[in-house]
Amino acid sequence: METTFVSFPNVCLSRNPEAILRPVPEWGRCLVYTPEDPELFELNATAWLALELCNGRPFAEVEDEFADTVAAKMPAEAARRDFRSTVETLKALGVVFETGLST
Amino acid sequence: MADHRILLKAFIARQDELAAPAVNPVDFQVRTGVSVPSKPDMINNQLVVVTWRYQVKDPVAFKRELAQIEQPLTGAAFEGSDELRNWRYHGTFLVSGATNQGMAETIWSSKASDLDKLKAVVANGSLPVGSFEETVRSMVLDLKAASVLPAHAEFEEEILDPAA
């Protein structure tokens, strides 16, 4: 029997309240402005979904919802890989931050 | 559930194929204080515009570092230089459009007769340089470090000469 180990970062994901979002739903895009480091970024619908799901819930729960949402369009493994890489990018840009899990 | 999540889930369900998540810097930059001269001004003052074009390693990191890299060259900094008195730095820009992903351009203008001076300044050891020329040289090295070119390679150069 093959065993797969999956690790989840033991954190919650939240959107930085300082980041300003300007949704452009007719294009399936969202513009994000980061005033602390003045820059403007464009998120496609998939990255925007990842950001919208980061509302203070545990990483695993957010990742599961992302993977479920895109399940019909994307293999689960790719969805989870893309989600993690997007969260890393958004963290680096200061749009998303992590907090410890409350016990 | 927030409205945007409902909207996004509906949007994603409607897609035939779903694109991988993408976060891109918006190719929109504003530079103040200096503008590229108009064609009549260029002709009257024997000016040419020189554009360096190059591929950068990481557009997001490049945009973040750019303000620092070009800060010494803003405003009237060139006034203090004998060798580069006729040179103006107009800025460095990420080029817009999907086919230009990661391409950047650095734009200068100069007297046509001084066309070789900037090259001489940035080419190590080919011209005795003062502190300002060293700043220019250092900035060019920073740009090359952020590009995918080998440090010793030249940027692809385009010269706009209104008199040509």
Side-chain angles (χ1 to χ4, degrees), chain A residues 23 39-48 53 55 65 69-70 73 82 86 93, chain B residues 4-5 8-9 11-13 15 18-26 60 63-64:
Chain A
E39 295 290 353
L40 193 61
F41 300 94
E42 179 185 299
L43 278 57
N44 71 0
T46 326
W48 183 12
L53 295 176
N55 59 353
E65 186 173 350
T69 304
V70 302
K73 317 279 180 185
D82 282 353
T86 305
L93 298 177
Chain B
H4 289 140
R5 280 193 278 162
L8 277 165
K9 289 184 175 185
F11 181 89
I12 284 167
Q15 305 303 304
L18 187 61
V23 179
N24 294 310
V26 174
V60 174
K63 279 195 75 174
R64 196 177 303 129

PDB file of all heavy atoms in Angstrom, chain A residues 23 39-48 53 55 65 69-70 73 82 86 93, chain B residues 4-5 8-9 11-13 15 18-26 60 63-64:
ATOM      1  N   PRO A  23     -11.981  45.253  -7.659  1.00  0.00           N
ATOM      2  CA  PRO A  23     -12.427  44.159  -8.538  1.00  0.00           C
ATOM      3  C   PRO A  23     -12.867  44.691  -9.895  1.00  0.00           C
ATOM      4  O   PRO A  23     -13.461  45.767  -9.986  1.00  0.00           O
ATOM      5  CB  PRO A  23     -13.626  43.579  -7.782  1.00  0.00           C
ATOM      6  CG  PRO A  23     -13.469  44.040  -6.373  1.00  0.00           C
ATOM      7  CD  PRO A  23     -12.797  45.375  -6.451  1.00  0.00           C
ATOM      8  N   GLU A  39       2.702  49.754  -4.964  1.00  0.00           N
ATOM      9  CA  GLU A  39       2.723  48.983  -6.206  1.00  0.00           C
ATOM     10  C   GLU A  39       1.300  48.561  -6.544  1.00  0.00           C
ATOM     11  O   GLU A  39       0.445  48.461  -5.668  1.00  0.00           O
ATOM     12  CB  GLU A  39       3.574  47.709  -6.057  1.00  0.00           C
ATOM     13  CG  GLU A  39       5.051  47.968  -5.815  1.00  0.00           C
ATOM     14  CD  GLU A  39       5.778  48.536  -7.026  1.00  0.00           C
ATOM     15  OE1 GLU A  39       5.163  48.608  -8.112  1.00  0.00           O
ATOM     16  OE2 GLU A  39       6.936  48.933  -6.867  1.00  0.00           O
ATOM     17  N   LEU A  40       1.095  48.312  -7.842  1.00  0.00           N
ATOM     18  CA  LEU A  40      -0.213  47.885  -8.324  1.00  0.00           C
ATOM     19  C   LEU A  40      -0.048  46.535  -9.016  1.00  0.00           C
ATOM     20  O   LEU A  40       0.853  46.380  -9.839  1.00  0.00           O
ATOM     21  CB  LEU A  40      -0.730  48.932  -9.308  1.00  0.00           C
ATOM     22  CG  LEU A  40      -2.187  48.888  -9.729  1.00  0.00           C
ATOM     23  CD1 LEU A  40      -3.114  49.056  -8.537  1.00  0.00           C
ATOM     24  CD2 LEU A  40      -2.460  49.997 -10.749  1.00  0.00           C
ATOM     25  N   PHE A  41      -0.914  45.576  -8.665  1.00  0.00           N
ATOM     26  CA  PHE A  41      -0.831  44.239  -9.249  1.00  0.00           C
ATOM     27  C   PHE A  41      -2.188  43.838  -9.818  1.00  0.00           C
ATOM     28  O   PHE A  41      -3.228  44.273  -9.332  1.00  0.00           O
ATOM     29  CB  PHE A  41      -0.397  43.214  -8.192  1.00  0.00           C
ATOM     30  CG  PHE A  41       0.941  43.512  -7.602  1.00  0.00           C
ATOM     31  CD1 PHE A  41       1.055  44.237  -6.430  1.00  0.00           C
ATOM     32  CD2 PHE A  41       2.096  43.108  -8.245  1.00  0.00           C
ATOM     33  CE1 PHE A  41       2.294  44.541  -5.899  1.00  0.00           C
ATOM     34  CE2 PHE A  41       3.351  43.404  -7.723  1.00  0.00           C
ATOM     35  CZ  PHE A  41       3.447  44.118  -6.549  1.00  0.00           C
ATOM     36  N   GLU A  42      -2.103  42.983 -10.838  1.00  0.00           N
ATOM     37  CA  GLU A  42      -3.331  42.454 -11.434  1.00  0.00           C
ATOM     38  C   GLU A  42      -3.399  40.959 -11.143  1.00  0.00           C
ATOM     39  O   GLU A  42      -2.453  40.227 -11.432  1.00  0.00           O
ATOM     40  CB  GLU A  42      -3.313  42.700 -12.943  1.00  0.00           C
ATOM     41  CG  GLU A  42      -4.539  42.160 -13.636  1.00  0.00           C
ATOM     42  CD  GLU A  42      -4.434  42.298 -15.146  1.00  0.00           C
ATOM     43  OE1 GLU A  42      -4.327  43.435 -15.643  1.00  0.00           O
ATOM     44  OE2 GLU A  42      -4.441  41.262 -15.822  1.00  0.00           O
ATOM     45  N   LEU A  43      -4.531  40.532 -10.578  1.00  0.00           N
ATOM     46  CA  LEU A  43      -4.741  39.118 -10.289  1.00  0.00           C
ATOM     47  C   LEU A  43      -5.767  38.574 -11.270  1.00  0.00           C
ATOM     48  O   LEU A  43      -6.813  39.202 -11.487  1.00  0.00           O
ATOM     49  CB  LEU A  43      -5.282  38.939  -8.867  1.00  0.00           C
ATOM     50  CG  LEU A  43      -4.307  38.953  -7.689  1.00  0.00           C
ATOM     51  CD1 LEU A  43      -3.481  40.234  -7.644  1.00  0.00           C
ATOM     52  CD2 LEU A  43      -5.059  38.758  -6.384  1.00  0.00           C
ATOM     53  N   ASN A  44      -5.474  37.414 -11.867  1.00  0.00           N
ATOM     54  CA  ASN A  44      -6.524  36.794 -12.677  1.00  0.00           C
ATOM     55  C   ASN A  44      -7.542  36.144 -11.744  1.00  0.00           C
ATOM     56  O   ASN A  44      -7.384  36.160 -10.510  1.00  0.00           O
ATOM     57  CB  ASN A  44      -5.926  35.835 -13.717  1.00  0.00           C
ATOM     58  CG  ASN A  44      -5.353  34.572 -13.098  1.00  0.00           C
ATOM     59  OD1 ASN A  44      -5.387  34.386 -11.885  1.00  0.00           O
ATOM     60  ND2 ASN A  44      -4.811  33.709 -13.944  1.00  0.00           N
ATOM     61  N   ALA A  45      -8.580  35.564 -12.320  1.00  0.00           N
ATOM     62  CA  ALA A  45      -9.698  35.078 -11.496  1.00  0.00           C
ATOM     63  C   ALA A  45      -9.234  34.014 -10.502  1.00  0.00           C
ATOM     64  O   ALA A  45      -9.693  33.978  -9.349  1.00  0.00           O
ATOM     65  CB  ALA A  45     -10.796  34.521 -12.396  1.00  0.00           C
ATOM     66  N   THR A  46      -8.311  33.156 -10.921  1.00  0.00           N
ATOM     67  CA  THR A  46      -7.888  32.061 -10.060  1.00  0.00           C
ATOM     68  C   THR A  46      -7.082  32.586  -8.867  1.00  0.00           C
ATOM     69  O   THR A  46      -7.278  32.146  -7.726  1.00  0.00           O
ATOM     70  CB  THR A  46      -7.050  31.058 -10.879  1.00  0.00           C
ATOM     71  OG1 THR A  46      -7.544  30.996 -12.213  1.00  0.00           O
ATOM     72  CG2 THR A  46      -7.121  29.683 -10.267  1.00  0.00           C
ATOM     73  N   ALA A  47      -6.209  33.540  -9.140  1.00  0.00           N
ATOM     74  CA  ALA A  47      -5.434  34.135  -8.040  1.00  0.00           C
ATOM     75  C   ALA A  47      -6.340  34.973  -7.138  1.00  0.00           C
ATOM     76  O   ALA A  47      -6.183  34.993  -5.911  1.00  0.00           O
ATOM     77  CB  ALA A  47      -4.313  35.002  -8.603  1.00  0.00           C
ATOM     78  N   TRP A  48      -7.309  35.638  -7.762  1.00  0.00           N
ATOM     79  CA  TRP A  48      -8.263  36.453  -6.991  1.00  0.00           C
ATOM     80  C   TRP A  48      -9.075  35.558  -6.046  1.00  0.00           C
ATOM     81  O   TRP A  48      -9.305  35.910  -4.889  1.00  0.00           O
ATOM     82  CB  TRP A  48      -9.154  37.206  -7.981  1.00  0.00           C
ATOM     83  CG  TRP A  48     -10.159  38.144  -7.389  1.00  0.00           C
ATOM     84  CD1 TRP A  48     -10.241  38.588  -6.110  1.00  0.00           C
ATOM     85  CD2 TRP A  48     -11.243  38.746  -8.092  1.00  0.00           C
ATOM     86  NE1 TRP A  48     -11.307  39.435  -5.966  1.00  0.00           N
ATOM     87  CE2 TRP A  48     -11.942  39.556  -7.161  1.00  0.00           C
ATOM     88  CE3 TRP A  48     -11.688  38.691  -9.412  1.00  0.00           C
ATOM     89  CZ2 TRP A  48     -13.073  40.286  -7.527  1.00  0.00           C
ATOM     90  CZ3 TRP A  48     -12.797  39.420  -9.762  1.00  0.00           C
ATOM     91  CH2 TRP A  48     -13.486  40.206  -8.830  1.00  0.00           C
ATOM     92  N   LEU A  53     -10.400  33.853  -0.516  1.00  0.00           N
ATOM     93  CA  LEU A  53     -10.630  32.780   0.457  1.00  0.00           C
ATOM     94  C   LEU A  53      -9.808  32.973   1.738  1.00  0.00           C
ATOM     95  O   LEU A  53     -10.068  32.327   2.746  1.00  0.00           O
ATOM     96  CB  LEU A  53     -10.294  31.419  -0.175  1.00  0.00           C
ATOM     97  CG  LEU A  53     -11.186  30.998  -1.357  1.00  0.00           C
ATOM     98  CD1 LEU A  53     -10.706  29.685  -1.951  1.00  0.00           C
ATOM     99  CD2 LEU A  53     -12.646  30.881  -0.933  1.00  0.00           C
ATOM    100  N   ASN A  55      -9.509  34.525   4.605  1.00  0.00           N
ATOM    101  CA  ASN A  55     -10.294  35.385   5.504  1.00  0.00           C
ATOM    102  C   ASN A  55     -10.135  34.977   6.964  1.00  0.00           C
ATOM    103  O   ASN A  55     -11.080  34.996   7.733  1.00  0.00           O
ATOM    104  CB  ASN A  55     -11.767  35.368   5.084  1.00  0.00           C
ATOM    105  CG  ASN A  55     -12.353  33.970   5.125  1.00  0.00           C
ATOM    106  OD1 ASN A  55     -11.633  32.999   5.348  1.00  0.00           O
ATOM    107  ND2 ASN A  55     -13.654  33.863   4.925  1.00  0.00           N
ATOM    108  N   GLU A  65     -10.991  24.506   0.170  1.00  0.00           N
ATOM    109  CA  GLU A  65     -12.069  25.188  -0.548  1.00  0.00           C
ATOM    110  C   GLU A  65     -11.611  25.610  -1.949  1.00  0.00           C
ATOM    111  O   GLU A  65     -12.362  25.507  -2.915  1.00  0.00           O
ATOM    112  CB  GLU A  65     -12.569  26.417   0.239  1.00  0.00           C
ATOM    113  CG  GLU A  65     -13.792  27.032  -0.430  1.00  0.00           C
ATOM    114  CD  GLU A  65     -14.440  28.147   0.386  1.00  0.00           C
ATOM    115  OE1 GLU A  65     -14.077  28.332   1.560  1.00  0.00           O
ATOM    116  OE2 GLU A  65     -15.323  28.836  -0.176  1.00  0.00           O
ATOM    117  N   THR A  69     -13.258  24.193  -5.381  1.00  0.00           N
ATOM    118  CA  THR A  69     -13.859  25.130  -6.342  1.00  0.00           C
ATOM    119  C   THR A  69     -13.351  24.878  -7.756  1.00  0.00           C
ATOM    120  O   THR A  69     -14.100  24.997  -8.721  1.00  0.00           O
ATOM    121  CB  THR A  69     -13.566  26.590  -5.925  1.00  0.00           C
ATOM    122  OG1 THR A  69     -14.044  26.784  -4.597  1.00  0.00           O
ATOM    123  CG2 THR A  69     -14.234  27.580  -6.859  1.00  0.00           C
ATOM    124  N   VAL A  70     -12.072  24.549  -7.872  1.00  0.00           N
ATOM    125  CA  VAL A  70     -11.493  24.385  -9.217  1.00  0.00           C
ATOM    126  C   VAL A  70     -11.424  22.906  -9.621  1.00  0.00           C
ATOM    127  O   VAL A  70     -10.856  22.589 -10.670  1.00  0.00           O
ATOM    128  CB  VAL A  70     -10.083  25.034  -9.301  1.00  0.00           C
ATOM    129  CG1 VAL A  70     -10.156  26.508  -8.953  1.00  0.00           C
ATOM    130  CG2 VAL A  70      -9.086  24.322  -8.401  1.00  0.00           C
ATOM    131  N   LYS A  73     -11.974  21.693 -13.114  1.00  0.00           N
ATOM    132  CA  LYS A  73     -11.133  22.278 -14.169  1.00  0.00           C
ATOM    133  C   LYS A  73      -9.656  21.924 -14.021  1.00  0.00           C
ATOM    134  O   LYS A  73      -8.876  22.165 -14.936  1.00  0.00           O
ATOM    135  CB  LYS A  73     -11.226  23.821 -14.125  1.00  0.00           C
ATOM    136  CG  LYS A  73     -12.600  24.373 -13.923  1.00  0.00           C
ATOM    137  CD  LYS A  73     -13.366  24.400 -15.222  1.00  0.00           C
ATOM    138  CE  LYS A  73     -14.759  24.962 -14.998  1.00  0.00           C
ATOM    139  NZ  LYS A  73     -15.566  24.897 -16.207  1.00  0.00           N
ATOM    140  N   ASP A  82      -0.684  25.089  -7.063  1.00  0.00           N
ATOM    141  CA  ASP A  82      -0.901  26.471  -7.512  1.00  0.00           C
ATOM    142  C   ASP A  82      -1.352  27.358  -6.349  1.00  0.00           C
ATOM    143  O   ASP A  82      -0.952  28.520  -6.248  1.00  0.00           O
ATOM    144  CB  ASP A  82      -1.959  26.512  -8.623  1.00  0.00           C
ATOM    145  CG  ASP A  82      -1.396  26.075  -9.964  1.00  0.00           C
ATOM    146  OD1 ASP A  82      -0.165  25.876 -10.052  1.00  0.00           O
ATOM    147  OD2 ASP A  82      -2.181  25.909 -10.909  1.00  0.00           O
ATOM    148  N   THR A  86       0.619  30.608  -5.077  1.00  0.00           N
ATOM    149  CA  THR A  86      -0.044  31.918  -5.099  1.00  0.00           C
ATOM    150  C   THR A  86      -0.001  32.567  -3.721  1.00  0.00           C
ATOM    151  O   THR A  86       0.264  33.775  -3.597  1.00  0.00           O
ATOM    152  CB  THR A  86      -1.504  31.768  -5.561  1.00  0.00           C
ATOM    153  OG1 THR A  86      -1.513  31.111  -6.818  1.00  0.00           O
ATOM    154  CG2 THR A  86      -2.190  33.120  -5.691  1.00  0.00           C
ATOM    155  N   LEU A  93       4.295  39.873  -1.429  1.00  0.00           N
ATOM    156  CA  LEU A  93       3.879  41.224  -1.837  1.00  0.00           C
ATOM    157  C   LEU A  93       3.207  41.980  -0.695  1.00  0.00           C
ATOM    158  O   LEU A  93       2.844  43.145  -0.854  1.00  0.00           O
ATOM    159  CB  LEU A  93       2.907  41.131  -3.025  1.00  0.00           C
ATOM    160  CG  LEU A  93       3.487  40.504  -4.301  1.00  0.00           C
ATOM    161  CD1 LEU A  93       2.415  40.391  -5.370  1.00  0.00           C
ATOM    162  CD2 LEU A  93       4.658  41.322  -4.804  1.00  0.00           C
TER     163      LEU A  93
ATOM    164  N   HIS B   4     -17.953  38.500  -3.663  1.00  0.00           N
ATOM    165  CA  HIS B   4     -16.923  38.219  -4.662  1.00  0.00           C
ATOM    166  C   HIS B   4     -16.621  36.739  -4.762  1.00  0.00           C
ATOM    167  O   HIS B   4     -16.271  36.245  -5.828  1.00  0.00           O
ATOM    168  CB  HIS B   4     -15.645  39.009  -4.362  1.00  0.00           C
ATOM    169  CG  HIS B   4     -15.804  40.476  -4.625  1.00  0.00           C
ATOM    170  ND1 HIS B   4     -15.287  41.445  -3.813  1.00  0.00           N
ATOM    171  CD2 HIS B   4     -16.453  41.123  -5.606  1.00  0.00           C
ATOM    172  CE1 HIS B   4     -15.618  42.632  -4.282  1.00  0.00           C
ATOM    173  NE2 HIS B   4     -16.319  42.460  -5.360  1.00  0.00           N
ATOM    174  N   ARG B   5     -16.747  36.032  -3.668  1.00  0.00           N
ATOM    175  CA  ARG B   5     -16.479  34.593  -3.743  1.00  0.00           C
ATOM    176  C   ARG B   5     -17.562  33.896  -4.550  1.00  0.00           C
ATOM    177  O   ARG B   5     -17.274  33.012  -5.353  1.00  0.00           O
ATOM    178  CB  ARG B   5     -16.360  34.003  -2.334  1.00  0.00           C
ATOM    179  CG  ARG B   5     -14.979  34.266  -1.749  1.00  0.00           C
ATOM    180  CD  ARG B   5     -14.748  33.450  -0.522  1.00  0.00           C
ATOM    181  NE  ARG B   5     -15.355  34.089   0.628  1.00  0.00           N
ATOM    182  CZ  ARG B   5     -15.616  33.474   1.771  1.00  0.00           C
ATOM    183  NH1 ARG B   5     -15.354  32.190   1.899  1.00  0.00           N
ATOM    184  NH2 ARG B   5     -16.148  34.128   2.780  1.00  0.00           N
ATOM    185  N   LEU B   8     -16.907  34.833  -8.127  1.00  0.00           N
ATOM    186  CA  LEU B   8     -15.736  34.158  -8.689  1.00  0.00           C
ATOM    187  C   LEU B   8     -16.003  32.688  -8.948  1.00  0.00           C
ATOM    188  O   LEU B   8     -15.569  32.141  -9.964  1.00  0.00           O
ATOM    189  CB  LEU B   8     -14.556  34.308  -7.723  1.00  0.00           C
ATOM    190  CG  LEU B   8     -13.808  35.623  -7.846  1.00  0.00           C
ATOM    191  CD1 LEU B   8     -12.912  35.857  -6.638  1.00  0.00           C
ATOM    192  CD2 LEU B   8     -12.970  35.643  -9.116  1.00  0.00           C
ATOM    193  N   LYS B   9     -16.719  32.054  -8.033  1.00  0.00           N
ATOM    194  CA  LYS B   9     -17.029  30.635  -8.235  1.00  0.00           C
ATOM    195  C   LYS B   9     -17.894  30.452  -9.466  1.00  0.00           C
ATOM    196  O   LYS B   9     -17.700  29.518 -10.252  1.00  0.00           O
ATOM    197  CB  LYS B   9     -17.691  30.057  -6.984  1.00  0.00           C
ATOM    198  CG  LYS B   9     -16.695  29.926  -5.831  1.00  0.00           C
ATOM    199  CD  LYS B   9     -17.292  29.279  -4.606  1.00  0.00           C
ATOM    200  CE  LYS B   9     -16.208  29.086  -3.554  1.00  0.00           C
ATOM    201  NZ  LYS B   9     -16.671  28.356  -2.376  1.00  0.00           N
ATOM    202  N   PHE B  11     -17.930  32.535 -12.028  1.00  0.00           N
ATOM    203  CA  PHE B  11     -17.062  32.874 -13.170  1.00  0.00           C
ATOM    204  C   PHE B  11     -16.200  31.664 -13.540  1.00  0.00           C
ATOM    205  O   PHE B  11     -16.080  31.304 -14.715  1.00  0.00           O
ATOM    206  CB  PHE B  11     -16.181  34.076 -12.801  1.00  0.00           C
ATOM    207  CG  PHE B  11     -15.265  34.527 -13.900  1.00  0.00           C
ATOM    208  CD1 PHE B  11     -15.683  35.470 -14.833  1.00  0.00           C
ATOM    209  CD2 PHE B  11     -13.976  34.003 -14.009  1.00  0.00           C
ATOM    210  CE1 PHE B  11     -14.825  35.882 -15.856  1.00  0.00           C
ATOM    211  CE2 PHE B  11     -13.121  34.415 -15.021  1.00  0.00           C
ATOM    212  CZ  PHE B  11     -13.553  35.355 -15.949  1.00  0.00           C
ATOM    213  N   ILE B  12     -15.613  31.042 -12.521  1.00  0.00           N
ATOM    214  CA  ILE B  12     -14.734  29.898 -12.766  1.00  0.00           C
ATOM    215  C   ILE B  12     -15.523  28.715 -13.336  1.00  0.00           C
ATOM    216  O   ILE B  12     -15.064  28.022 -14.245  1.00  0.00           O
ATOM    217  CB  ILE B  12     -13.993  29.524 -11.453  1.00  0.00           C
ATOM    218  CG1 ILE B  12     -12.876  30.561 -11.216  1.00  0.00           C
ATOM    219  CG2 ILE B  12     -13.424  28.110 -11.496  1.00  0.00           C
ATOM    220  CD1 ILE B  12     -12.257  30.522  -9.849  1.00  0.00           C
ATOM    221  N   ALA B  13     -16.740  28.520 -12.843  1.00  0.00           N
ATOM    222  CA  ALA B  13     -17.569  27.405 -13.349  1.00  0.00           C
ATOM    223  C   ALA B  13     -17.894  27.594 -14.825  1.00  0.00           C
ATOM    224  O   ALA B  13     -18.099  26.615 -15.547  1.00  0.00           O
ATOM    225  CB  ALA B  13     -18.846  27.313 -12.519  1.00  0.00           C
ATOM    226  N   GLN B  15     -15.903  28.878 -17.101  1.00  0.00           N
ATOM    227  CA  GLN B  15     -14.724  28.810 -17.974  1.00  0.00           C
ATOM    228  C   GLN B  15     -14.574  27.410 -18.568  1.00  0.00           C
ATOM    229  O   GLN B  15     -14.730  26.409 -17.863  1.00  0.00           O
ATOM    230  CB  GLN B  15     -13.441  29.154 -17.190  1.00  0.00           C
ATOM    231  CG  GLN B  15     -13.471  30.488 -16.485  1.00  0.00           C
ATOM    232  CD  GLN B  15     -13.744  31.647 -17.424  1.00  0.00           C
ATOM    233  OE1 GLN B  15     -13.037  31.850 -18.396  1.00  0.00           O
ATOM    234  NE2 GLN B  15     -14.799  32.390 -17.141  1.00  0.00           N
ATOM    235  N   LEU B  18      -9.445  26.599 -17.188  1.00  0.00           N
ATOM    236  CA  LEU B  18      -9.108  27.521 -16.100  1.00  0.00           C
ATOM    237  C   LEU B  18      -7.611  27.837 -16.133  1.00  0.00           C
ATOM    238  O   LEU B  18      -6.777  26.927 -16.113  1.00  0.00           O
ATOM    239  CB  LEU B  18      -9.490  26.903 -14.759  1.00  0.00           C
ATOM    240  CG  LEU B  18      -9.358  27.818 -13.549  1.00  0.00           C
ATOM    241  CD1 LEU B  18     -10.257  29.036 -13.689  1.00  0.00           C
ATOM    242  CD2 LEU B  18      -9.692  27.062 -12.277  1.00  0.00           C
ATOM    243  N   ALA B  19      -7.307  29.108 -16.177  1.00  0.00           N
ATOM    244  CA  ALA B  19      -5.890  29.514 -16.173  1.00  0.00           C
ATOM    245  C   ALA B  19      -5.308  29.321 -14.784  1.00  0.00           C
ATOM    246  O   ALA B  19      -6.007  29.438 -13.774  1.00  0.00           O
ATOM    247  CB  ALA B  19      -5.781  30.981 -16.584  1.00  0.00           C
ATOM    248  N   ALA B  20      -4.035  28.991 -14.740  1.00  0.00           N
ATOM    249  CA  ALA B  20      -3.333  28.920 -13.452  1.00  0.00           C
ATOM    250  C   ALA B  20      -3.354  30.307 -12.819  1.00  0.00           C
ATOM    251  O   ALA B  20      -3.426  31.316 -13.530  1.00  0.00           O
ATOM    252  CB  ALA B  20      -1.899  28.464 -13.665  1.00  0.00           C
ATOM    253  N   PRO B  21      -3.284  30.378 -11.489  1.00  0.00           N
ATOM    254  CA  PRO B  21      -3.290  31.698 -10.846  1.00  0.00           C
ATOM    255  C   PRO B  21      -2.135  32.549 -11.357  1.00  0.00           C
ATOM    256  O   PRO B  21      -1.029  32.057 -11.550  1.00  0.00           O
ATOM    257  CB  PRO B  21      -3.099  31.372  -9.359  1.00  0.00           C
ATOM    258  CG  PRO B  21      -3.446  29.943  -9.213  1.00  0.00           C
ATOM    259  CD  PRO B  21      -3.171  29.285 -10.526  1.00  0.00           C
ATOM    260  N   ALA B  22      -2.415  33.830 -11.581  1.00  0.00           N
ATOM    261  CA  ALA B  22      -1.373  34.747 -12.060  1.00  0.00           C
ATOM    262  C   ALA B  22      -1.469  36.051 -11.300  1.00  0.00           C
ATOM    263  O   ALA B  22      -2.552  36.624 -11.161  1.00  0.00           O
ATOM    264  CB  ALA B  22      -1.529  34.991 -13.560  1.00  0.00           C
ATOM    265  N   VAL B  23      -0.331  36.513 -10.789  1.00  0.00           N
ATOM    266  CA  VAL B  23      -0.233  37.809 -10.109  1.00  0.00           C
ATOM    267  C   VAL B  23       0.848  38.587 -10.834  1.00  0.00           C
ATOM    268  O   VAL B  23       2.023  38.215 -10.785  1.00  0.00           O
ATOM    269  CB  VAL B  23       0.150  37.636  -8.620  1.00  0.00           C
ATOM    270  CG1 VAL B  23       0.272  38.994  -7.940  1.00  0.00           C
ATOM    271  CG2 VAL B  23      -0.853  36.746  -7.897  1.00  0.00           C
ATOM    272  N   ASN B  24       0.464  39.647 -11.527  1.00  0.00           N
ATOM    273  CA  ASN B  24       1.425  40.389 -12.343  1.00  0.00           C
ATOM    274  C   ASN B  24       1.438  41.866 -11.976  1.00  0.00           C
ATOM    275  O   ASN B  24       0.388  42.443 -11.713  1.00  0.00           O
ATOM    276  CB  ASN B  24       1.070  40.280 -13.832  1.00  0.00           C
ATOM    277  CG  ASN B  24       1.227  38.863 -14.327  1.00  0.00           C
ATOM    278  OD1 ASN B  24       2.257  38.231 -14.110  1.00  0.00           O
ATOM    279  ND2 ASN B  24       0.192  38.337 -14.959  1.00  0.00           N
ATOM    280  N   PRO B  25       2.618  42.473 -11.991  1.00  0.00           N
ATOM    281  CA  PRO B  25       2.643  43.921 -11.793  1.00  0.00           C
ATOM    282  C   PRO B  25       1.931  44.598 -12.954  1.00  0.00           C
ATOM    283  O   PRO B  25       2.001  44.123 -14.079  1.00  0.00           O
ATOM    284  CB  PRO B  25       4.136  44.255 -11.802  1.00  0.00           C
ATOM    285  CG  PRO B  25       4.808  43.108 -12.461  1.00  0.00           C
ATOM    286  CD  PRO B  25       3.946  41.911 -12.250  1.00  0.00           C
ATOM    287  N   VAL B  26       1.226  45.672 -12.660  1.00  0.00           N
ATOM    288  CA  VAL B  26       0.550  46.414 -13.724  1.00  0.00           C
ATOM    289  C   VAL B  26       1.589  47.263 -14.447  1.00  0.00           C
ATOM    290  O   VAL B  26       2.355  47.984 -13.822  1.00  0.00           O
ATOM    291  CB  VAL B  26      -0.573  47.287 -13.139  1.00  0.00           C
ATOM    292  CG1 VAL B  26      -1.181  48.184 -14.210  1.00  0.00           C
ATOM    293  CG2 VAL B  26      -1.644  46.395 -12.527  1.00  0.00           C
ATOM    294  N   VAL B  60       8.532  41.605 -10.785  1.00  0.00           N
ATOM    295  CA  VAL B  60       8.005  42.119  -9.513  1.00  0.00           C
ATOM    296  C   VAL B  60       9.149  42.667  -8.660  1.00  0.00           C
ATOM    297  O   VAL B  60       9.100  43.793  -8.155  1.00  0.00           O
ATOM    298  CB  VAL B  60       7.232  41.019  -8.757  1.00  0.00           C
ATOM    299  CG1 VAL B  60       6.820  41.503  -7.372  1.00  0.00           C
ATOM    300  CG2 VAL B  60       5.995  40.602  -9.558  1.00  0.00           C
ATOM    301  N   LYS B  63      10.612  45.923 -10.228  1.00  0.00           N
ATOM    302  CA  LYS B  63       9.842  47.148  -9.960  1.00  0.00           C
ATOM    303  C   LYS B  63      10.106  47.635  -8.537  1.00  0.00           C
ATOM    304  O   LYS B  63      10.188  48.826  -8.284  1.00  0.00           O
ATOM    305  CB  LYS B  63       8.345  46.891 -10.146  1.00  0.00           C
ATOM    306  CG  LYS B  63       7.917  46.941 -11.586  1.00  0.00           C
ATOM    307  CD  LYS B  63       6.427  47.060 -11.704  1.00  0.00           C
ATOM    308  CE  LYS B  63       5.950  48.454 -11.374  1.00  0.00           C
ATOM    309  NZ  LYS B  63       4.514  48.608 -11.615  1.00  0.00           N
ATOM    310  N   ARG B  64      10.233  46.668  -7.631  1.00  0.00           N
ATOM    311  CA  ARG B  64      10.441  47.043  -6.232  1.00  0.00           C
ATOM    312  C   ARG B  64      11.805  47.723  -6.061  1.00  0.00           C
ATOM    313  O   ARG B  64      11.947  48.672  -5.295  1.00  0.00           O
ATOM    314  CB  ARG B  64      10.348  45.785  -5.361  1.00  0.00           C
ATOM    315  CG  ARG B  64      10.151  46.084  -3.889  1.00  0.00           C
ATOM    316  CD  ARG B  64       9.985  44.819  -3.078  1.00  0.00           C
ATOM    317  NE  ARG B  64       8.887  43.993  -3.547  1.00  0.00           N
ATOM    318  CZ  ARG B  64       8.982  42.695  -3.829  1.00  0.00           C
ATOM    319  NH1 ARG B  64      10.116  42.061  -3.697  1.00  0.00           N
ATOM    320  NH2 ARG B  64       7.941  42.020  -4.246  1.00  0.00           N
TER     321      ARG B  64
END
